[in-house]
Amino acid sequence: MSIWANAPAVPSLPTDGVLDAVVVGGGPAGWTAAIYLARAKASPVVLAGGAVGGQLMDTGIVENFPGFPQGIDGPELMGRMREQAENAGARVFTREATALRLVPDAGGVHEIDTAEGTLRTRSVVFATGSSPRRLDVPGEAELGGGNGVAYCAVCEAPLFAGKDVAVVGGGDSAMEEVLAVSKHARRVHLVHRRDTFRCAPVLLERVRTRPNVQVHTDAVVTSIHADDSGRLATARIETRNGGTCDLSVQGLFVAIGHTPRTELAAKAGTALSLTPTDHLHLTGSGGVTAVPGVFAAGDVADDLFRQAITAAGAGCAAALACQRYLEEHPA
Ligand SMILES: Cc1cc2nc3c(=O)[nH]c(=O)nc-3n(C[C@H](O)[C@H](O)[C@H](O)COP(=O)(O)OP(=O)(O)OC[C@H]3O[C@@H](n4cnc5c(N)ncnc54)[C@H](O)[C@@H]3O)c2cc1C
């Protein structure tokens, strides 16, 4: 007898018939949308992609998600959300959506391709998230995930109270990160590769008046180094005139932008449009897009807040709007 005889069957994608709702994305926005849709008997299918759990899988403790007074590990929070969605009745598949064919008319049936077949569905909640841009320098990958390199000061600044940190970037979000972290840290080094800033002047002015902020322009981080315990100890910066210097820091915030996961929408060739920052363009509240029956939630459509709780809230709103759409356009 084969050793696989008693292995549980891998469920196959429901490619027969027309589904009520497909959620694309397995992060806070996708899981929340799935919980709401399942409880509303819309029998959602979730395509959670390869990075099940989304960005919070790359972090340690999450201290700002309500309901967890001691904080909660990012992967654990995502595991709990998935379990809640499955308990409510969502069918979850760790598959990528590879292409979309969206119908521009209300009541139409949209198609979503995966490597294992095509799903046909009356509605879609798009929650494919975003990825923070990386510096791609030696040491960055090893020191992420709670060892000193971070991508969200709003989330992690309090963890660096009394410490020395660096923030890398020159846009609005970098300035916001400096302002957030400088309330907690002893000293903040702002490292920017040019000698001019592309952020709002008012933000730069606020940064410059913070007494614990030191600005390094025409400078790039070239490598990041750990101490013997494996935690961040120094960041090497190189200036345009060839000088180098090691900043002694316990935290380094990379604030050079995010890439929203909108490739599918961009290729879909429909009225789904993108904003100037490449996020999905919403035409109304509840994640409504220009295509009837297609909703978007979370970081894929949010250039401003990018938090787990705002993504979850947007997933809830999109699911409620989707539910209403399904009722108004019965099969
Ligand atoms: C290191 C780090 C630490 C952070 N810490 C905090 C914190 O402490 N508190 C906080 O509130 N926020 C934090 N954030 C921000 C927070 O993680 C995001 O705002 C939130 O995860 C966004 O949720 P989302 O569901 O929109 O997208 P994501 O979390 O990005 O999830 C997107 C999902 O879509 C899936 N997907 C993408 N493309 C496809 C496809 N083609 N087919 C199928 N699935 C697809 C992915 O596999 C993934 O499951 C942190 C972010 C980072 C990077």
Side-chain angles (χ1 to χ4, degrees):
M1 190 165 57
S2 152
I3 57 166
W4 300 112
N6 295 323
V10 177
S12 50
L13 275 179
T15 49
D16 292 337
V18 176
L19 301 164
D20 283 337
V22 173
V23 176
V24 186
W31 295 135
T32 308
I35 292 165
Y36 274 77
L37 286 167
R39 297 188 76 247
K41 304 276 176 253
S43 310
V45 163
V46 180
L47 294 178
V52 184
Q55 294 168 66
L56 286 187
M57 302 304 280
D58 292 336
T59 193
I61 198 90
V62 175
E63 291 194 326
N64 55 5
F65 199 90
F68 301 95
Q70 314 307 328
I72 180 167
D73 197 48
E76 190 189 343
L77 179 61
M78 289 301 89
R80 288 189 186 205
M81 283 195 193
R82 174 181 179 164
E83 193 182 341
Q84 193 172 353
E86 288 183 311
N87 287 348
R91 286 177 290 168
V92 176
F93 298 88
T94 54
R95 316 283 210 285
E96 291 271 333
T98 54
L100 302 174
R101 280 178 298 285
L102 305 178
V103 178
D105 310 311
V109 174
H110 310 290
E111 293 185 336
I112 304 176
D113 290 343
T114 73
E116 284 85 25
T118 298
L119 296 177
R120 303 177 69 233
T121 178
R122 296 165 56 214
S123 68
V124 184
V125 175
F126 219 79
T128 48
S130 70
S131 333
R133 288 197 195 112
R134 318 264 164 182
L135 293 171
D136 282 333
V137 297
E140 181 181 18
E142 296 79 356
L143 289 168
N147 289 316
V149 174
Y151 297 87
C152 173
V154 174
C155 316
E156 300 191 31
L159 305 178
F160 294 92
K163 308 251 166 76
D164 289 358
V165 304
V167 174
V168 184
D172 284 352
S173 14
M175 299 308 126
E176 305 270 14
E177 305 267 291
V178 170
L179 293 171
V181 78
S182 63
K183 289 184 192 148
H184 304 273
R186 190 178 74 107
R187 183 203 302 256
V188 182
H189 298 276
L190 170 61
V191 182
H192 178 44
R193 63 189 167 144
R194 302 190 210 290
D195 62 352
T196 53
F197 286 84
R198 58 191 156 76
C199 60
V202 60
L203 286 176
L204 183 59
E205 192 46 39
R206 267 185 229 154
V207 163
R208 287 197 189 280
T209 53
R210 287 280 159 101
N212 58 342
V213 176
Q214 188 177 342
V215 180
H216 307 260
T217 52
D218 272 338
V220 290
V221 173
T222 53
S223 57
I224 306 169
H225 304 271
D227 59 16
D228 289 343
S229 69
R231 292 198 51 86
L232 171 63
T234 53
R236 178 156 301 170
I237 59 172
E238 219 170 275
T239 54
R240 189 178 286 188
N241 59 19
T244 59
C245 131
D246 284 341
L247 298 177
S248 173
V249 287
Q250 294 84 56
L252 183 140
F253 290 91
V254 180
I256 54 175
H258 283 72
T259 308
R261 302 276 311 264
T262 45
E263 319 84 69
L264 280 179
K267 283 191 301 192
T270 64
L272 264 194
S273 57
L274 303 182
T275 66
T277 55
D278 275 348
H279 288 76
L280 269 185
H281 174 63
L282 302 181
T283 56
S285 57
V288 170
T289 71
V291 180
V294 177
F295 303 83
D299 281 17
V300 73
D302 176 7
D303 189 26
L304 268 188
F305 302 115
R306 295 191 301 265
Q307 295 294 292
I309 188 68
T310 51
C316 158
L320 293 174
C322 179
Q323 231 171 284
R324 196 170 303 154
Y325 169 86
L326 289 170
E327 278 159 19
E328 286 167 3
H329 302 90

